[in-house]
Each structure stands twice: as C-alpha cells, then as structure tokens.
Amino acid sequence: MPQPAAPVANYVPWVKSGNQLYVSGQLPLRDGVLAYTGKVGETVSVEDATQAARLCGINLLAQAKAALGSLEKVRRVVKLGAFVSSASDFTRQPVVANGASDLMVAAFGETVGRHARSAVGVNVLPLDAAVEIDAVFEIDPD
C-alpha cells in the first residue's frame, strides 16, 4: 500500500461522519509522481486511462487505511465518483472508471466491493491529471 498523498490545497484527505468515510479525490500518483497526464481520447489511451483509474483506486484504499488503521473496518464500498479528463468527442468514461471499480471488487469481493458510481467527462483536472476518483465507504461504527 503506498503512502497516502497529502492534500495539495485547503481540504482534508478524508472525513469520517457516523459510519461513513468520505475520501477526497485521488489522482493517479505513483511514488508521489503523477503517472498519467493529459486528455483521454487525445493524448491518453483508454488502456492507460483505465490503469490511471486503478492507480486512483489504490490511492483511495491507502487513504482509507490511513483513516481506519485497517481496511478490515470497511463494510461496503458505497460509491465512487470518477472524473475523466476527456477529449471533446470521448464517451468511454465508464470503461475508464472500471479500472477503479474492478479493483474494489478484487479487494473486497462482490458483496462489499460492488458500488454505485458516477463516471463523468471533464475538460481539465488538477495538475493535468488524466483521472481523479473520490469514494464513500461504509465503515464499522466507532
């Protein structure tokens, strides 16, 4: 599990509220370096963008582990919000988002890992990232 990234602006990486853990949007960082930049369908392939989404998912899990001490406390992946920096005619955002969705199912199994999701094309993301994903997890009550 990678070291969770520190926020780059005025926000916190996660918030616990009741039995919910909200994790701020994670970029495709690997070893602290942005691994995928540019627009999907223009300078980034669908395959690379899917790997970027998977990396965002890994970083979401790293934040959740930092917040909870253990991923064993996750009861359900409730929702992922995937933002894909897209060329104006790119429409395969759901395929890209599967990189993170498939990871959640692999990590937690069908019952816990399957989730609601949004997959949205956007004009640009922070630091020219190709993908950004946030998450909501149901967790053990404190």
Side-chain angles (χ1 to χ4, degrees):
M1 194 69 62
Q3 183 70 23
V8 296
N10 187 16
Y11 64 91
V12 293
W14 50 266
V15 171
K16 282 196 260 182
S17 180
N19 67 338
Q20 302 282 300
L21 176 68
Y22 297 84
V23 180
S24 295
Q26 298 296 299
L27 300 179
L29 295 171
R30 182 182 297 122
D31 299 323
V33 176
L34 195 55
Y36 297 93
T37 60
K39 289 195 182 305
V40 183
E42 193 172 277
T43 60
V44 179
S45 69
V46 172
E47 295 78 15
D48 283 349
T50 302
Q51 288 304 307
R54 184 178 190 284
L55 193 49
C56 291
I58 290 168
N59 293 326
L60 287 166
L61 295 178
Q63 291 289 358
K65 184 176 179 192
L68 303 171
S70 169
L71 293 177
E72 300 280 323
K73 295 181 179 178
V74 173
R75 291 290 148 246
R76 182 79 195 250
V77 181
V78 176
K79 185 169 193 287
L80 297 182
F83 303 90
V84 180
S85 181
S86 301
S88 62
D89 61 344
F90 183 75
T91 60
R92 298 184 66 200
Q93 291 84 3
V95 173
V96 171
N98 282 344
S101 292
D102 293 349
L103 175 71
M104 295 301 158
V105 173
F108 296 109
E110 283 285 326
T111 303
V112 175
R114 300 242 333 149
H115 50 272
R117 187 181 81 186
S118 300
V120 179
V122 297
N123 184 47
V124 67
L125 287 167
L127 307 175
D128 196 32
V131 180
E132 179 176 356
I133 302 179
D134 62 12
V136 179
F137 298 95
E138 180 183 351
I139 59 174
D140 285 339
D142 285 333

